[in-house]
């Protein structure tokens, strides 16, 4: 089983992005490395849109800038896409989400998708679920398929959990999310659309709360 | 008046046992006049007033207070209490639209969307242009996640209140949600007619046309982005990038003879310079990422 390993920092950013715009759908890209045999490691995310996911210009310009950033800094590349829908109920990747994910996969054939599911987020906040994210990978010609989390499979099943949190401490992620929320730190995260409306807003979120230790290698610019 | 409110609130908090009728009445009056939203407190003191001092109020104020307290109770989700107040109002005014509206809002708060819808439809039978009922029907469908039904409800509202800009914007958003770009563009055309000086409407309209794509749409989008640049005096990143993206898609040759075409040829260069200026000033750390994009877009638009 090939693994997708995500660090805590990027997951916290996705949670912050969704918390900052609770009434909107949000999306962004995952940055990291594709290591041996299809395994993916996610080091960072760049939040892109929040007003609407269905218009091309902001997304195109955002992707282009992120791509240019990864080329210049080196060390990481675009390895996937994330989305969180405003509406609760559907825990599937929407047709639009699939289209955007296809576009991201043009850059990286091994690309993965993280979907922040509202129902699971609720369970996560109540501490009755560990992981609020759904993982999708491309399955040949059949498109994006949900990867069932091995930890939720029947006990004794030998499938490894497909989405792994680096360090494995989901409880700590929940605590950090609550702390961030209470201190209103999620409001200090800025996505690419906010940058388009005010150029001084930093979509790299270098100053984002507690993110210092998650700075990327080669992030010297 | 704010000072008066503070004083009354102090009196109410300091009261031993049931506060006086006079201070309760004054508190609720002030909250109505100042339009301050503190629903839990209004519901609490309103409850005391209606239980102990009904006879201190004139017939008119008695029912004004009922309405005020009912809305506050619904807002703070005190449903059993809200139900009793709403019921009292409906018994006193069985034919009133305002009373029915409260009934509908109660059903919404209780999650009984079917009965809420019945109430609003009933209001519309007597008054088919009732603003509140038409609007509540949109909200009702949206809160249930039924975007196509919410779109239909909003169209009915706009048939009557066609100058409501917020409603047109919401309708455009809902069309985008269901990926109906043509209808979303139509809503933006209405908005542009209603507010011809709002640059963000020009950008949104151009964004929609660009997303639909095709030679004609790229050209129209370009001119709407240009208009937005003019309105923002070159300050809109969305519009500036938009122009460049459109230019990169427009490949046909233009004749150098007429002045309009010359302006179109110069457009990418002028836009590029404006973007570089903004990035240098406000986001110099992003300049190295933007420069290659601008070079690429400019290169595409210079294609023979």
């Amino acid at each position: 089983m090939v693994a997708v390993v995500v660090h805590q920092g990027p997951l916290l950013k996705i949670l912050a992005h969704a918390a900052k715009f609770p009434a909107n759908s949000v999306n962004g890209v995952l940055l990291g490395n594709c290591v041996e045999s299809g395994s993916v490691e996610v080091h960072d995310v760049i939040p892109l849109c929040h007003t609407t996911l269905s218009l091309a210009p902001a997304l195109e310009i955002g992707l282009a800038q992120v791509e240019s950033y990864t080329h210049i800094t080196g060390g990481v590349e675009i390895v996937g896409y994330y989305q969180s829908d405003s509406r609760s109920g559907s825990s599937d990747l929407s047709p639009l989400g699939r289209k955007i994910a296809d576009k991201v996969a043009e850059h990286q054939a091994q690309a993965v998708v993280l979907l922040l599911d509202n129902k699971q987020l609720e369970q996560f906040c109540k501490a009755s679920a560990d992981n609020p994210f759904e993982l999708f990978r491309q399955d040949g010609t059949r498109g994006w398929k949900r990867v069932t989390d091995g930890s939720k499979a029947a006990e004794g099943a030998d499938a490894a959990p497909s989405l792994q949190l680096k360090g494995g401490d989901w409880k700590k992620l929940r605590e950090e999310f609550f702390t961030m929320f209470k201190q209103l730190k999620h409001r200090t995260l800025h996505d690419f659309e906010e940058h388009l409306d005010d150029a001084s807003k930093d979509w790299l979120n270098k100053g984002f709360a507690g993110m210092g230790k998650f700075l990327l290698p080669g992030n010297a610019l | 008046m704010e000072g008066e409110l503070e004083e009354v609130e102090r009196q109410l908090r300091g009261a031993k046992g049931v506060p006086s009728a006079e201070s309760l009445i004054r508190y609720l009056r002030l909250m109505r006049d100042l339009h301050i939203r503190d629903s839990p407190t209004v519901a609490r003191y309103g409850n005391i007033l209606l239980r102990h001092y009904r006879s201190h109020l004139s017939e008119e104020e008695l029912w004004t207070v009922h309405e005020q307290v009912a809305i506050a109770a619904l807002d703070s989700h005190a449903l059993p209490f809200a139900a009793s107040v709403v019921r009292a109002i409906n018994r006193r005014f069985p034919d009133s639209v305002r009373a029915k509206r409260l009934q509908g809002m109660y059903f919404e708060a209780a999650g009984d969307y079917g009965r809420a819808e019945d109430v609003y439809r009933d209001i519309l039978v007597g008054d088919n242009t009732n603003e509140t009922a038409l609007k509540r029907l949109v909200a009702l469908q949206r809160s249930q996640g039924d975007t196509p039904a919410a779109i239909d409800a909003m169209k009915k509202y706009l048939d009557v209140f066609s100058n409501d800009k917020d409603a047109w914007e919401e309708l455009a958003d809902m069309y985008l949600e269901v990926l109906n770009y043509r209808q979303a563009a139509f809503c933006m055309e209405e908005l542009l007619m209603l507010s011809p000086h709002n640059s963000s409407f020009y950008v949104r309209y151009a964004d929609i046309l660009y997303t639909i794509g095709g030679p004609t749409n790229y050209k129209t989008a370009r001119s709407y982005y240009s208009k937005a640049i003019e309105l923002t005096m070159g300050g809109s990143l969305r519009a500036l990038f938009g122009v460049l993206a459109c230019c990169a898609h427009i490949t046909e040759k233009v004749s150098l003879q007429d002045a309009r075409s010359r302006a179109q040829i110069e457009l990418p260069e002028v836009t590029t310079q404006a973007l570089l200026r903004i990035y240098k000033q406000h986001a110099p750390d992003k300049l190295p990422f933007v420069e290659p994009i601008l070079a690429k877009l400019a290169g595409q638009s210079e294609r023979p």
Side-chain angles (χ1 to χ4, degrees):
Chain A
M1 189 73 179
V2 284
V4 176
V5 181
V6 190
H7 292 246
Q8 182 182 278
L11 290 185
L12 208 51
K13 278 189 186 173
I14 300 178
L15 290 167
H17 196 198
K20 183 168 183 177
F21 303 103
N24 302 35
S25 299
V26 298
N27 68 3
V29 287
L30 315 175
L31 302 185
N33 306 102
C34 290
V35 273
E36 89 292 344
S37 65
S39 290
V40 174
E41 189 160 344
V42 179
H43 295 279
D44 197 4
V45 303
I46 305 290
L48 291 177
C49 302
H50 69 271
T51 63
T52 169
L53 308 188
S54 46
L55 292 174
L59 192 69
E60 277 182 16
I61 301 291
L63 276 175
Q65 285 203 28
V66 176
E67 214 187 322
S68 166
Y69 161 74
T70 57
H71 284 165
I72 289 169
T73 50
V76 285
E77 53 186 333
I78 295 175
V79 294
Y81 169 73
Y82 77 83
Q83 182 173 316
S84 169
D85 292 312
S86 58
R87 200 184 306 163
S88 70
S90 146
S91 64
D92 200 13
L93 187 58
S94 62
L96 180 68
R98 285 168 192 271
K99 248 166 79 181
I100 302 172
D102 284 341
K103 220 174 151 57
V104 171
E106 285 170 14
H107 298 275
Q108 171 53 261
Q110 295 178 27
V112 298
V113 172
L114 288 182
L115 183 74
L116 178 57
D117 175 67
N118 280 312
K119 264 193 211 133
Q120 261 172 265
L121 179 60
E122 204 185 314
Q123 300 292 311
F124 172 75
C125 290
K126 287 181 190 154
S128 47
D130 275 342
N131 169 15
F133 296 93
E134 293 273 3
L135 177 69
F136 289 77
R137 298 197 84 159
Q138 257 176 333
D139 182 7
T141 51
R142 294 194 296 154
W144 295 93
K145 286 267 169 275
R146 184 195 315 267
V147 182
T148 319
D149 192 340
S151 63
K152 277 182 231 148
E155 289 226 21
D158 59 1
S162 41
L163 178 67
Q164 294 169 13
L165 175 63
K166 186 87 175 176
D169 199 346
W170 292 98
K171 216 185 277 171
K172 184 146 173 283
L173 177 70
R174 184 183 304 121
E175 279 163 20
E176 297 257 333
F177 174 52
F178 286 169
T179 310
M180 174 191 80
F181 197 77
K182 267 183 229 144
Q183 296 176 351
L184 302 179
K185 291 275 171 61
H186 54 292
R187 296 199 188 151
T188 64
L189 184 94
H190 299 296
D191 66 18
F192 186 75
E193 274 196 284
E194 288 177 282
H195 165 75
L196 286 179
D197 293 326
D198 173 356
S200 64
K201 298 267 162 69
D202 178 18
W203 49 262
L204 281 169
N205 293 296
K206 282 180 290 231
F208 184 64
M211 289 295 113
K213 45 191 173 201
F214 299 107
L215 277 184
L216 299 173
N219 200 355
L221 273 171
Chain B
M1 271 208 289
E2 277 86 356
E4 205 185 330
L5 178 65
E6 266 173 47
E7 191 204 311
V8 178
E9 282 183 318
R10 221 177 5 253
Q11 280 176 17
L12 288 171
R13 272 197 303 272
K16 292 191 189 82
V18 181
S20 70
E22 194 241 337
S23 57
L24 289 166
I25 292 169
R26 255 176 71 208
Y27 170 75
L28 291 175
R29 264 184 213 156
L30 283 165
M31 292 301 276
R32 286 201 298 276
D33 293 343
L34 293 167
H35 300 287
I36 296 173
R37 181 171 168 171
D38 181 2
S39 297
T41 316
V42 168
R44 191 168 111 234
Y45 289 136
N47 187 11
I48 300 173
L49 179 67
L50 292 178
R51 252 190 307 147
H52 295 273
Y53 306 111
R54 289 177 67 99
S55 57
H56 288 67
L57 291 162
S58 68
E59 173 74 2
E60 196 196 333
E61 190 167 6
L62 176 67
W63 295 105
T64 308
V65 166
H66 267 88
E67 190 180 26
Q68 178 187 15
V69 172
I71 290 169
L74 288 171
D75 193 28
S76 41
H77 225 78
L79 288 183
F81 174 49
S84 71
V85 183
V86 170
R87 214 178 299 126
I89 297 171
N90 274 277
R91 264 202 303 270
R92 173 68 184 76
F93 304 99
D95 302 317
S96 153
V97 167
R98 262 162 84 182
K100 282 184 198 156
R101 178 187 72 129
L102 288 173
Q103 184 77 58
M105 284 166 69
Y106 169 75
F107 287 134
E108 276 190 74
D112 191 343
Y113 298 120
R115 286 173 82 181
E117 189 173 337
D118 290 343
V119 171
Y120 299 135
R121 297 232 179 268
D122 186 44
I123 296 175
L124 290 171
V125 169
D127 171 11
N128 62 5
T129 63
N130 185 277
E131 186 175 355
T132 318
L134 287 168
K135 254 191 172 161
R136 295 310 314 167
L137 283 172
V138 179
L140 201 58
Q141 303 297 351
R142 280 210 100 172
S143 56
Q144 291 173 88
D146 189 345
T147 308
I151 287 173
D152 285 338
M154 188 60 101
K155 273 158 59 186
K156 289 200 184 95
Y157 170 82
L158 282 166
D159 281 342
V160 187
F161 302 96
S162 58
N163 287 333
D164 187 333
K165 282 182 250 173
D166 293 340
W168 280 113
E169 246 189 298
E170 199 181 334
L171 184 59
D173 284 346
M174 291 195 285
Y175 275 126
L176 286 177
E177 222 173 274
V178 295
L179 308 186
N180 188 337
Y181 295 102
R182 306 253 164 221
Q183 289 300 324
F186 171 76
C187 295
M188 295 318 297
E189 284 161 16
E190 291 286 332
L191 278 165
L192 284 167
M193 269 193 288
L194 291 171
S195 17
H197 300 295
N198 185 330
S199 67
S200 67
F201 291 160
Y202 286 83
V203 171
R204 185 43 77 94
Y205 183 55
D207 279 351
I208 295 170
L209 294 178
Y210 180 89
T211 305
I212 300 172
T216 319
N217 284 326
Y218 288 131
K219 269 192 237 166
T220 317
R222 180 176 60 184
S223 59
Y224 279 83
Y225 282 130
S226 302
K227 180 73 185 171
I229 293 175
E230 202 183 304
L231 287 168
T232 55
M233 305 206 284
S236 164
L237 283 185
R238 287 179 190 267
L240 291 165
F241 276 122
V243 159
L244 285 183
C246 288
C247 289
H249 281 283
I250 300 168
T251 51
E252 73 183 32
K253 277 186 209 154
V254 287
S255 99
L256 283 163
Q257 267 80 48
D258 81 86
R260 237 188 103 184
S261 303
R262 272 204 302 280
Q264 281 174 12
I265 292 169
E266 288 159 11
L267 194 56
E269 181 53 28
V270 175
T271 317
T272 301
Q273 290 311 321
L275 279 167
L276 290 174
R277 256 199 315 280
I278 293 175
Y279 272 95
K280 263 180 207 139
Q281 193 183 343
H282 298 287
D285 63 318
K286 308 284 187 314
L287 203 54
F289 318 143
V290 175
E291 276 165 341
I293 298 172
L294 296 181
K296 199 174 148 206
L297 286 171
Q300 275 169 356
S301 61
E302 274 162 18
R303 264 189 319 233

